[in-house]
Every structure is written in C-alpha cells, then in structure tokens.
Amino acid sequence: MSYRNRTAALASAAALAGSAVLMAAPAAHAEVVDVKYQCKTPIGDKSAVSPIDIKGVKSGSGYKITMSWQKGVSSSPVDLGKGAMAPSAVIKLGGADSGTLNVSGPANQAVVPANTPIKISDLSGTYTPKKSGKVTFTAGVLTIKALGTTTTCTPTNSPGPSLTLDVTAAGGGSGGSGTQSGTDSGAELPQTGPEDSAIALGTLGGTVLLAGAAGTLWLTRRHQAATRR
C-alpha cells in the first residue's frame, strides 16, 4: 500500500472510530401517553383522560424523573384556594428493573375554580438504578389531597410507558426492586438525561479523531525526513 493510501486509510479509521463511539451512546425514548383515570372523589366517581409526559435527567448516581400532566383531572365542587391541594403519584418501573417510584411536587400556585378540571403541577422524584438495562416508566396512581379530603385516580386503560431509559446500576449490579421516592418542588422541567452522556461520548469521539490526525501528521513528517535522507 502506498504512503498516500496508508494515510487515507488511517484518517478513515479514525473517523469511523469516532462515529462508532457516538453510536454507542445510551438510548432513551420518551413519548406522551394518554392515560384514562378513574377517580374516587368525596362526591362520587369521575373520569378524565390526560396526556402524560415523563422525562429523566442524569443526577449524580441516579436520575431526576419529572412527570407532567397536559390536561386537568377530576374537579372540586368548591374553589380550592392557593396552596390547598397537594398532589403526588406513583410511577411503575418495568423492563430491567421493577417496583415503583414515588413523585410529588408543590401545592397549587393559583386558585382552582369550582367544577373545573384540576391541573396537576409537575411531580418529581429521584430514581437510582438497581439493575442495569432498559428501564420503563409508566404512569400509576395519582393522589390529590385537598381540604381534608383525598381523591385517588387510577389508570384504567393499561397505558404504555412514557419513558424508557438505558441505565447502569452502581457497580453494574443486578440488585432487587423496591420503592423509591423524592421531592423537588418548583424544579425546572429537565431534558432527557442520556443527552448529557451523548455529549460526553461525542467529546471522546472528537479525541479519537484528533488522535488520528496526530498520527497522520507524524507519518507525514517521518516520510519527509526519509525523503531528505
């Protein structure tokens, strides 16, 4: 193989190595899922459908998970004053892990008028992987406490996962399942976590490309020195 062909081959190999590193980035998949809730309220049963969005962002050894409702659910026969309603929910874990994640958030920041759909604030919790692999996050039971009463809303349409994360447990272990919880009131809605990993891996890919370029430069100088001799 000629010197020029060897140089081109080295540059191509470096570019392919960088691409391979980027393709190895952890996968994440999120979609808005319609959840049909059947709610047990102090004044009788009610039902409502709300699109549910679940996002995750890497945080230390775990992930900050945020659950959002795009439409209101249930209602109150009387006005709910500011701070009168405290929502919480359960997210079901599936795939490589199992169990549940408890999420909660701030009370209502504005008055909820009587007989109108109750808009749930974003609820957050911290998920720490106990098993490595693809883990799914699916909407579970929603609980609304207001004015000394409790309303429980249960999904009845077997909704699919709103989020799938490819996670790695500490030490790469395959520990057991359980319930996790966390609260982050007033938190800003995060982006899907694996993007951070993709950026980091992209930097690594750039390092591979730089190493390839350095190797090409070294070969060029060596060839020029040999020619002068």
Side-chain angles (χ1 to χ4, degrees), residues 34 49-52 68-73 117-120:
D34 286 341
V49 176
S50 176
I52 299 297
S68 303
W69 280 257
Q70 294 190 1
K71 290 184 179 180
V73 298
I118 296 175
K119 178 65 171 71
I120 306 300

Side-chain angles (χ1 to χ4, degrees), residues 12-206:
S12 297
L16 287 173
S19 298
V21 170
L22 287 174
M23 290 175 65
H29 175 72
E31 64 176 301
V32 177
V33 175
D34 286 341
V35 178
K36 182 178 181 180
Y37 285 102
Q38 186 67 34
C39 299
K40 299 289 186 180
T41 81
I43 58 172
D45 293 351
K46 295 182 178 294
S47 63
V49 176
S50 176
I52 299 297
D53 184 24
I54 300 177
K55 295 186 182 297
V57 64
K58 195 76 173 67
S59 178
S61 60
Y63 291 83
K64 178 182 175 182
I65 304 298
T66 300
M67 185 178 189
S68 303
W69 280 257
Q70 294 190 1
K71 290 184 179 180
V73 298
S74 190
S75 61
S76 170
V78 298
D79 289 354
L80 296 179
K82 181 179 179 181
M85 180 189 68
S88 62
V90 171
I91 295 176
K92 297 178 181 178
L93 306 178
D97 208 345
S98 61
T100 58
L101 171 67
N102 295 327
V103 291
S104 57
N108 55 305
Q109 299 299 302
V111 174
V112 178
N115 302 313
T116 60
I118 296 175
K119 178 65 171 71
I120 306 300
S121 59
D122 291 348
L123 307 182
S124 299
T126 300
Y127 167 68
T128 302
K130 290 183 169 55
K131 293 186 178 181
S132 299
K134 294 185 182 299
V135 178
T136 60
F137 298 78
T138 304
V141 176
L142 165 67
T143 301
I144 303 171
K145 293 186 177 182
L147 304 178
T149 68
T150 299
T151 293
T152 303
C153 299
T154 303
T156 58
N157 61 332
S158 300
S162 295
L163 174 67
T164 300
L165 287 179
D166 196 347
V167 304
T168 301
S174 57
S177 60
T179 299
Q180 303 184 50
S181 63
T183 304
D184 191 353
S185 58
E188 183 177 342
L189 186 64
Q191 296 298 316
T192 303
E195 291 178 359
D196 296 335
S197 300
I199 293 172
L201 288 170
T203 303
L204 177 59

